[in-house]
Amino acid sequence: MTETDATASAAGAPANASPSLRRPVERPAPLRHLVFDAIVEMIISRELKPGQHLSEADLAQTLGVSRQPIREALQQLQTEGWVNLRPGQGAFVHAPTRKETDYLLAARVALEAESAREAAQARTDRDIAKLWALWHHGTEVAATGDREAMVAANADLHAYIMSIGGNPVLAELGRVVDRRVRWHYTPIAVARGGQSWEEHSELIHAIAEGDADKAAAIMREHTGRTRSIAYDERER
């Protein structure tokens, strides 16, 4: 066996495999990606508040890493709109504008309404049981007033509805907007509280009945109400 063949075999590819058939070996995620994810979650939860100055040293100490992956993550965070880097001043958590909030939640209304329609058409008894389990958990969390837990419970229910239809394109788009929706939803989670879960109950009933039009209409009204409340909060 030649040195090339041995290398190919060690990588898990046949010795005579063409380059197009070979697959790179799996590697751990770069540290900057893990740091990026950690900082995003801190921003979403409002542990890092809009407009707050970000100290590289403080973030490095909090996350237990050196300052280099923090710098790399901050560059990516700026590219994706989570952070603003100001020359001579440093990094600051981005403060979403009213238009940004409205544009995002408008897109969410369209995505979620279609997800509810498809869920009503594809649901199984197991799906409905799972939705009610998520609903019961959500109502319990809403009663505690724990904002972070409320945001997570709401996201879990909506994500599961999105998954029922089995539409991979819709699911991917949903994942793209999920983090930002949680970011914008966090300030109003308590205000939506129990009312949101009453609306979820109506939605689950429509999905269980297989009424696609009704499910889409309820979801559109539900997400539209969240959009309106978020808009009102920005006006204050």
Side-chain angles (χ1 to χ4, degrees), residues 118-140:
E118 294 186 2
Q121 295 170 335
R123 86 277 182 252
T124 64
D125 290 343
R126 182 178 180 182
D127 290 325
I128 301 306
K130 176 65 174 179
L131 286 175
W132 282 121
L134 290 169
W135 181 84
H136 282 294
H137 172 67
T139 56
E140 291 172 357

Side-chain angles (χ1 to χ4, degrees), residues 205-220:
H205 279 297
I207 292 173
E209 292 164 3
D211 192 331
D213 290 340
K214 183 178 179 181
I218 292 173
M219 180 67 95
R220 187 174 294 109

Side-chain angles (χ1 to χ4, degrees), residues 45-95:
S45 69
R46 287 330 200 244
E47 182 178 347
L48 298 174
K49 296 176 172 55
Q52 180 176 336
H53 178 255
L54 300 176
S55 163
E56 290 183 5
D58 289 346
L59 287 171
Q61 182 177 12
T62 297
L63 299 178
V65 297
S66 69
R67 294 176 67 164
Q68 182 59 34
I70 296 293
R71 293 191 191 100
E72 294 172 349
L74 288 175
Q75 291 291 335
Q76 184 183 355
L77 287 160
Q78 175 178 247
T79 299
E80 299 195 17
W82 295 99
V83 162
N84 299 125
L85 296 179
R86 303 174 188 169
Q89 299 181 53
F92 296 80
V93 177
H94 179 65

Side-chain angles (χ1 to χ4, degrees), residues 20 31 37 50 94 117 121 126 135 147 177 216:
S20 63
L31 185 56
D37 288 339
H94 179 65
R117 178 186 301 281
Q121 295 170 335
R126 182 178 180 182
W135 181 84
R147 186 173 65 177
V177 303

Side-chain angles (χ1 to χ4, degrees), residues 14 29 50 61 64 66 70 77 107 114 116 161 165 186 195 236:
Q61 182 177 12
S66 69
I70 296 293
L77 287 160
E114 182 58 26
I161 291 173
T186 294
Q195 177 61 38
R236 294 177 184 176

